[in-house]
């Protein structure tokens, strides 16, 4: 019966750090020289350096979005961050070849075991670059490409350049511009027409260095009728100073393709996690984001789907858990750009102690499509009297015969519920945990088994010591 | 001899005294009824014994097998073997009955041990059959949207699965039609035994036709003012609580 811990990432598990020597270090602060350094280390073509420098200008020209977002963004000191760090490693295809300190890190996080158990491929990124990348041989034979962004742009420019930066333009927002200037690492995946991956591909992102910014860039292309599930996990040690993680993730689902993208974000509580994730869904394609935010100091992330082709379907299922000192500012964007497109958003948030969770939703129907459907449910659970939640839906419906539904609820764990459960023998934290699990249960049932088990355990760990 | 002993128990809520030097002894193997008019402190007694944090104990003691309960947390009291069947069972959304009872059993096991799924479900289904509960019940959220009868059956199901040493049934008859009352009572009667003490709190004599008590205690203004055998319940039914008022005044 036991299926537990297949993905072993609990909140404390990532809290360790090995001293590491870096062969490549872009130094502290952001400038044209830093961008040129990153591009130079990667030996990039001129168009890419040009892309980066334009992005840097876009980043510098945009104000922080504090007119609508958290003022905490002002506490990011862009001049004290290190934008590129690597040991100069090339991604190894066997664990033996991975440098010892990096290997020890991933072994401690249980990555090799997971790969053996249930994954079709793994990529493990250590600070700026991938240290390990391996996919099952049969997938390679079918023409599946799975590699880091550096390798992808270099080896398969004809595949990736077409979509690179197209779903999320450089200047979409300040942080997508920052990522575009200094990006390094992340996964590039191409699944050929009709190829259906039965097991997920996984990427694991690890920040090891203090005052560091991780800017991975992921692009997944599922060609016509292809199917893929991709999972990402992330951890960092608890440093005194804050760390920045700012990724850009673009998904392209061509006609009839299916992409499922699963995130369990478990950054330590000093990480600013400012991520732009968006998918393009062509005719009859399906994209599903499963997004679980448990760690970080401030997360701002609103996975979106542009439903570009007829009958395309988009879905965001998300769970956010905000404890003391955390603000989970998450949501979803659904752009119904074609008729008969459907989208579904279910967002559940739990605020504990002085934690705050916000939901921002956007539903748009440009071009006056017809027969589109959107369903949005956002439910918040408050554990303590100081816990906070807020919701900002923005819905614009144009065209005809479209239906949009938005439901929101806020509930509180009551003292009487806890007393009742304690009277059956459970301790107060056990009772709280059970209430929280009850709140997210119907949503977690939609997740792949490995993730649901792990997520429940993470929630239990987070509830410990959060009561009273 | 094993028993639940309540001595000179006084308790208040928000500064208002409810229990006033209450005395009651419940030996294992016996069923005692507590009767009394509204506001006499019957439900308060059950909550104070279960360790409800809203009540302040201002004096006295309550010992389970010689061990003081007062001051312990509700879960410690529960794990010592005291079960309270609630008058108004609380709804807990998203937690199935099966998972809830399992978590409650798990909480009683030492670290490292776990409830065996096969044995657990076998036992759960047996008890549900006894109580005339449909198997589909196990996957419903705890008490959520239950009828009055379903809630009370669910309380008795939990009680029979957890096998406590002492059971307090707080107005279990309220909100039940006659058929449900009969089935719930049968469930309670099946749990009677030489090792178990039961305290049945009720407003009406009706329940005691099904659960026959060894002793009846009558509460008035926070204390037990009269105790007797089961005939006392009948006498109370006939003469009404005004009779007690006059007795106490005399």
């Amino acid at each position: 019966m036991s299926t537990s811990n297949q993905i072993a990432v609990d909140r404390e598990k990532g809290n360790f750090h090995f001293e590491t020597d870096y062969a490549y270090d872009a130094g502290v602060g952001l400038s044209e020289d830093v961008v040129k350094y990153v591009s130079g280390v990667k030996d990039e073509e001129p168009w890419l350096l040009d892309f980066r420098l334009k992005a840097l200008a876009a980043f510098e020209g945009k104000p922080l979005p504090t007119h609508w977002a958290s003022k905490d963004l002002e506490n990011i000191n862009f001049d004290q961050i290190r934008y590129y760090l690597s040991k100069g490693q090339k991604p190894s295809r066997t664990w033996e070849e991975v440098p010892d300190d990096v290997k020890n890190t991933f072994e401690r996080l249980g990555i090799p075991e997971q790969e053996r158990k249930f994954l079709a491929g793994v990529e493990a990124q250590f600070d700026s670059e991938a240290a390990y990348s391996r996919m099952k041989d049969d997938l390679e034979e079918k023409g599946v490409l799975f590699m880091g962004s550096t390798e992808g742009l270099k080896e398969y420019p004809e595949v990736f350049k077409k979509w690179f930066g197209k779903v999320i333009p450089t200047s979409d927002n300040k942080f997508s511009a920052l990522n575009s200037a200094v990006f390094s690492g992340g996964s590039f995946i191409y699944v050929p027409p009709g190829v259906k991956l039965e097991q997920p591909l996984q990427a694991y992102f690890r920040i090891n260095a203090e005052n560091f910014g991780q800017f991975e860039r992921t692009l997944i292309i599922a060609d016509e009728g292809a199917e893929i599930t991709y999972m990402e996990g992330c951890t960092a040690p608890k440093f005194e100073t804050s760390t920045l993680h700012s990724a850009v993730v673009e998904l392209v689902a061509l006609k009839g393709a299916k992409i499922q993208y699963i995130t369990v974000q478990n950054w330590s509580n000093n990480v600013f996690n400012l991520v732009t994730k968006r998918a393009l869904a062509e005719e009859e394609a399906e994209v599903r984001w499963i997004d679980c935010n448990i760690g970080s100091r401030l997360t701002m992330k609103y996975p979106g789907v542009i439903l570009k082709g007829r009958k395309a379907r988009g879905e965001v299922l998300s769970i956010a858990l905000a404890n003391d000192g955390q603000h989970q500012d998450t949501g979803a964007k659904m752009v119904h750009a074609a008729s008969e497109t459907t989208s579904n958003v279910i967002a559940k948030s739990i605020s504990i102690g002085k934690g705050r969770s916000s939901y921002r939703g956007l539903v748009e129907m440009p071009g006056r499509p017809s027969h589109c459907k959107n369903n949005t449910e956002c439910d918040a659970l408050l554990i303590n009297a100081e816990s906070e939640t807020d919701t900002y839906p923005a819905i614009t419906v144009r065209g005809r015969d479209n239906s949009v539904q938005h439901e929101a609820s806020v509930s509180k764990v009551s003292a009487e519920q806890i007393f009742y459960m304690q009277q059956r023998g459970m301790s107060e934290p056990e009772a709280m945990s059970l209430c929280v699990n009850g709140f997210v249960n119907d949503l977690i049932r939609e997740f792949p088994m490995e993730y649901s088990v792990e997520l429940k355990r993470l929630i239990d760990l987070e509830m410990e010591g959060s009561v009273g | 001899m094993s028993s639940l002993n309540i001595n000179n128990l006084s308790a208040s809520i928000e500064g208002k005294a409810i229990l006033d030097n209450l005395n009651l002894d419940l030996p294992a193997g016996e069923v005692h009824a507590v009767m009394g008019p509204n506001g006499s402190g019957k439900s308060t007694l059950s909550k104070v014994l279960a360790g409800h944090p809203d009540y302040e104990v201002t004096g006295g003691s309550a010992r389970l097998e010689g061990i003081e309960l007062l001051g312990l947390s509700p879960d410690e009291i529960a794990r010592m073997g005291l079960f309270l069947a609630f008058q108004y069972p609380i709804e807990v959304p998203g937690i199935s009955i099966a998972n809830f009872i399992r978590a409650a059993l798990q909480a009683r096991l030492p670290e490292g041990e776990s409830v065996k799924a096969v044995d657990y479900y076998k036992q759960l289904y047996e008890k549900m059959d006894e109580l005339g509960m449909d198997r589909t019940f196990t996957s419903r959220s705890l008490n959520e949207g239950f009828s009055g009868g379903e809630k009370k059956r669910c309380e008795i199901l939990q009680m029979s699965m957890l096998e406590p040493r002492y059971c307090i049934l707080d107005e279990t008859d309220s909100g039940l039609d006659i058929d449900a009352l009969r089935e719930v009572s049968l469930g309670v009667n099946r749990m009677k035994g030489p090792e178990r003490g039961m305290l049945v709190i009720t407003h009406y004599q009706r329940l005691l036709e099904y659960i026959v008590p060894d002793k009846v205690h009558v509460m008035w203004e926070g204390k037990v003012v009269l105790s007797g055998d089961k005939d006392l319940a009948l006498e109370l039914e006939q003469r009404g609580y005004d009779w007690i008022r006059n007795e106490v005044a005399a």
Side-chain angles (χ1 to χ4, degrees):
Chain A
M1 288 287 286
S2 175
T3 50
S4 63
N5 304 352
Q6 292 201 6
I7 296 166
V9 279
D10 70 43
R11 292 308 311 277
E12 281 306 312
K13 195 156 186 175
N15 192 19
F16 63 90
H17 163 73
F18 290 110
E19 284 304 324
T20 299
D21 296 321
Y22 295 98
Y24 298 96
D25 182 345
V28 170
L30 184 61
S31 65
E32 284 203 2
D33 287 343
V34 165
V35 171
K36 284 175 184 164
Y37 180 89
V38 174
S39 189
V41 167
K42 293 170 178 292
D43 193 20
E44 288 175 345
E45 290 186 29
W47 74 267
L48 210 47
L49 175 60
D50 192 45
F51 174 91
R52 290 180 183 275
L53 290 171
K54 279 184 185 151
L56 178 66
F59 168 73
E60 284 169 345
K62 279 184 175 289
L64 285 169
T66 42
H67 57 290
W68 60 268
S70 170
K71 295 269 183 291
D72 195 21
L73 288 173
E74 287 164 4
N75 293 316
I76 304 172
N77 194 339
F78 293 100
D79 296 332
Q80 297 212 331
I81 289 171
R82 291 188 284 177
Y83 290 82
Y84 183 88
L85 283 175
S86 88
K87 298 166 70 70
Q89 79 273 8
K90 292 269 172 284
S92 309
R93 279 178 57 89
T94 66
W95 280 106
E96 286 66 40
E97 294 168 35
V98 175
D100 276 348
D101 42 4
V102 176
K103 187 164 66 184
N104 289 342
T105 298
F106 287 118
E107 276 176 359
R108 198 154 155 184
L109 294 165
I111 311 302
E113 298 140 55
Q114 293 165 36
E115 181 186 358
R116 278 196 298 276
K117 274 186 193 153
F118 72 104
L119 297 172
V122 170
E123 186 188 11
Q125 177 164 342
F126 191 83
D127 292 332
S128 294
E129 295 288 356
Y132 173 79
S133 179
R134 174 112 179 91
M135 182 173 61
K136 289 193 172 158
D137 296 338
D138 60 322
L139 294 179
E140 217 164 302
E141 284 158 21
K142 285 179 184 160
V144 178
L145 303 177
F146 177 42
M147 62 196 64
S149 61
T150 308
E151 293 76 31
L153 283 168
K154 193 162 284 170
E155 293 170 31
Y156 298 93
E158 73 288 357
V159 180
F160 293 113
K161 218 177 140 180
K162 183 178 174 192
W163 295 107
F164 179 77
K166 299 299 192 313
V167 185
I168 301 170
T170 295
S171 51
D172 184 81
N173 64 77
K174 190 171 177 72
F175 296 97
S176 64
L178 175 61
N179 174 283
S180 300
V182 294
F183 76 91
S184 181
S187 305
F188 268 31
I189 297 172
Y190 171 77
V191 187
V195 174
K196 295 175 179 165
L197 272 65
E198 280 164 18
Q199 290 173 300
L201 293 174
Q202 190 183 36
Y204 201 88
F205 297 97
R206 172 68 177 177
I207 292 178
N208 189 60
E210 194 161 7
N211 288 331
F212 174 67
Q214 191 174 55
F215 306 96
E216 90 272 13
R217 180 118 196 165
T218 289
L219 171 59
I220 300 176
I221 302 160
D223 213 321
E224 293 189 3
E227 290 180 15
I228 174 180
T229 294
Y230 176 88
M231 322 200 288
E232 61 173 356
C234 31
T235 60
K238 283 180 189 156
F239 290 121
E240 289 303 305
T241 56
S242 59
T243 305
L244 176 59
H245 173 255
S246 187
V248 164
V249 176
E250 298 175 289
L251 310 184
V252 178
L254 297 180
K255 189 179 174 187
K258 287 184 185 169
I259 302 178
Q260 178 164 251
Y261 191 107
I262 307 169
T263 305
V264 173
Q265 179 269 103
N266 192 25
W267 295 118
S268 56
N269 290 4
N270 55 339
V271 175
F272 284 93
N273 182 47
L274 312 167
V275 173
T276 311
K277 287 183 164 165
R278 198 168 303 151
L280 188 73
E282 298 278 8
E283 192 174 333
E284 293 184 353
E286 286 181 36
V287 174
R288 180 190 237 193
W289 297 97
I290 292 180
D291 202 54
C292 305
N293 292 290
I294 297 187
S296 84
R297 164 174 170 172
L298 170 67
T299 283
M300 287 172 63
K301 184 177 13 160
Y302 321 99
V305 184
I306 299 161
L307 301 151
K308 189 168 167 249
R310 217 181 107 258
K311 289 193 172 173
R313 178 173 167 77
E315 192 164 34
V316 172
L317 306 178
S318 74
I319 291 177
L321 208 147
N323 214 324
D324 281 341
Q326 289 185 287
H327 183 184
Q328 304 286 12
D329 193 327
T330 61
K333 293 183 181 177
M334 290 296 173
V335 179
H336 293 257
S339 294
E340 297 178 74
T341 50
T342 52
S343 62
N344 182 40
V345 178
I346 304 177
K348 299 217 178 204
S349 70
I350 301 142
S351 307
I352 309 168
K354 290 177 181 154
R356 177 179 170 196
S357 37
S358 308
Y359 173 82
R360 293 178 207 271
L362 178 135
V363 178
E364 273 185 358
M365 296 185 179
R368 311 184 77 85
S370 67
H371 301 92
C372 296
K373 268 186 202 157
N374 160 264
N375 173 56
T376 301
E377 271 176 65
C378 64
D379 301 319
L381 182 69
L382 302 174
I383 300 288
N384 304 94
E386 317 90 33
S387 314
E388 278 187 71
T389 185
D390 34 355
T391 306
Y392 311 91
I395 301 168
T396 318
V397 183
R398 292 215 167 82
R400 59 184 176 82
D401 297 326
N402 297 312
S403 90
V404 170
Q405 186 174 323
H406 181 100
E407 278 178 42
S409 76
V410 179
S411 47
K412 237 182 116 35
V413 175
S414 75
E416 288 306 311
Q417 280 173 327
I418 297 301
F419 173 68
Y420 182 73
M421 296 168 91
Q422 279 189 283
Q423 212 300 306
R424 299 308 184 241
M426 286 158 238
S427 66
E428 197 175 345
E430 282 167 348
M432 279 285 185
S433 247
L434 213 53
C435 282
V436 171
N437 273 311
F439 173 71
V440 294
N441 252 342
D442 54 340
L443 187 53
I444 287 185
R445 267 198 283 271
E446 299 286 312
F447 296 4
M449 184 67 165
E450 297 80 19
Y451 264 90
S452 59
V453 170
E454 173 57 18
L455 199 65
K456 281 188 178 187
R457 216 170 52 82
L458 276 178
I459 290 171
D460 285 349
L461 285 166
E462 197 62 14
M463 297 308 297
E464 273 175 21
S466 63
V467 182
Chain B
M1 201 178 88
S2 24
S3 58
L4 177 65
N5 308 107
I6 306 163
N7 285 306
N8 295 317
L9 177 61
S10 297
S12 62
I13 184 164
E14 288 168 357
K16 188 179 176 227
I18 310 279
L19 299 184
D20 174 18
N21 285 294
L22 181 140
N23 289 289
L24 198 156
D25 281 329
L26 172 66
E30 292 190 11
V31 177
H32 288 198
V34 173
M35 301 184 72
N38 286 335
S40 59
K42 301 189 299 293
S43 281
T44 296
L45 172 62
S46 68
K47 289 201 170 127
V48 168
L49 291 176
H52 195 294
D54 287 356
Y55 294 87
E56 191 194 350
V57 175
T58 51
S61 76
R63 288 171 205 275
L64 192 151
E65 316 284 26
I67 300 166
E68 182 61 56
L69 293 179
L70 304 177
L72 297 181
S73 69
D75 52 307
E76 286 171 316
I77 295 169
R79 291 195 300 270
M80 280 171 65
L82 186 98
F83 183 95
L84 171 60
F86 282 55
Q87 181 177 6
Y88 304 109
I90 311 294
E91 300 191 2
V92 188
I95 314 283
S96 70
I97 293 178
N99 283 343
F100 181 70
I101 298 177
R102 193 169 170 172
L105 285 168
Q106 185 67 47
R108 288 160 169 77
L109 294 177
E111 187 99 12
E113 283 182 37
S114 58
V115 176
K116 290 198 179 55
V118 178
D119 299 346
Y120 168 68
Y121 277 100
K122 187 168 174 268
Q123 199 190 356
L124 183 67
Y125 288 149
E126 272 172 25
K127 306 275 186 196
M128 288 176 75
D129 289 347
E130 285 174 2
L131 284 164
M133 293 169 83
D134 194 276
R135 297 259 167 110
T136 57
F137 232 79
T138 51
S139 56
R140 287 178 62 183
S141 283
L142 186 61
N143 296 323
E144 198 183 24
F146 285 19
S147 71
E150 287 171 334
K151 281 184 178 171
K152 297 299 167 74
R153 273 194 180 91
C154 182
E155 292 292 286
I156 304 305
L157 176 68
Q158 292 175 50
M159 184 167 92
S160 62
M161 287 296 290
L162 298 175
E163 301 186 332
R165 294 295 306 277
Y166 293 90
C167 307
I168 303 173
L169 296 119
D170 190 5
E171 310 233 3
T172 295
D173 49 339
S174 68
L176 291 189
D177 62 32
I178 201 78
D179 292 330
L181 183 65
R182 190 181 297 118
E183 285 202 62
V184 164
S185 304
L186 280 172
V188 173
N189 286 335
R190 264 193 297 272
M191 288 199 65
K192 281 191 201 168
E195 299 291 314
R196 186 169 287 136
M198 296 184 136
L199 200 61
V200 180
I201 295 173
T202 181
H203 197 73
Y204 301 105
Q205 197 270 336
R206 187 177 71 154
L207 178 67
L208 304 181
E209 288 171 15
Y210 298 96
I211 305 170
V212 181
D214 298 294
K215 256 189 179 175
V216 174
H217 307 279
V218 180
M219 273 184 78
W220 185 264
E221 291 180 346
K223 32 168 139 304
V224 171
V225 289
L226 202 59
S227 296
D229 62 16
K230 63 178 172 9
D231 296 335
L232 179 57
L234 287 171
E235 192 171 358
L236 206 56
E237 182 89 344
Q238 279 157 16
R239 298 174 72 172
Y241 284 114
D242 280 346
W243 166 57
I244 301 294
R245 190 199 310 274
N246 297 332
E247 290 281 301
V248 173

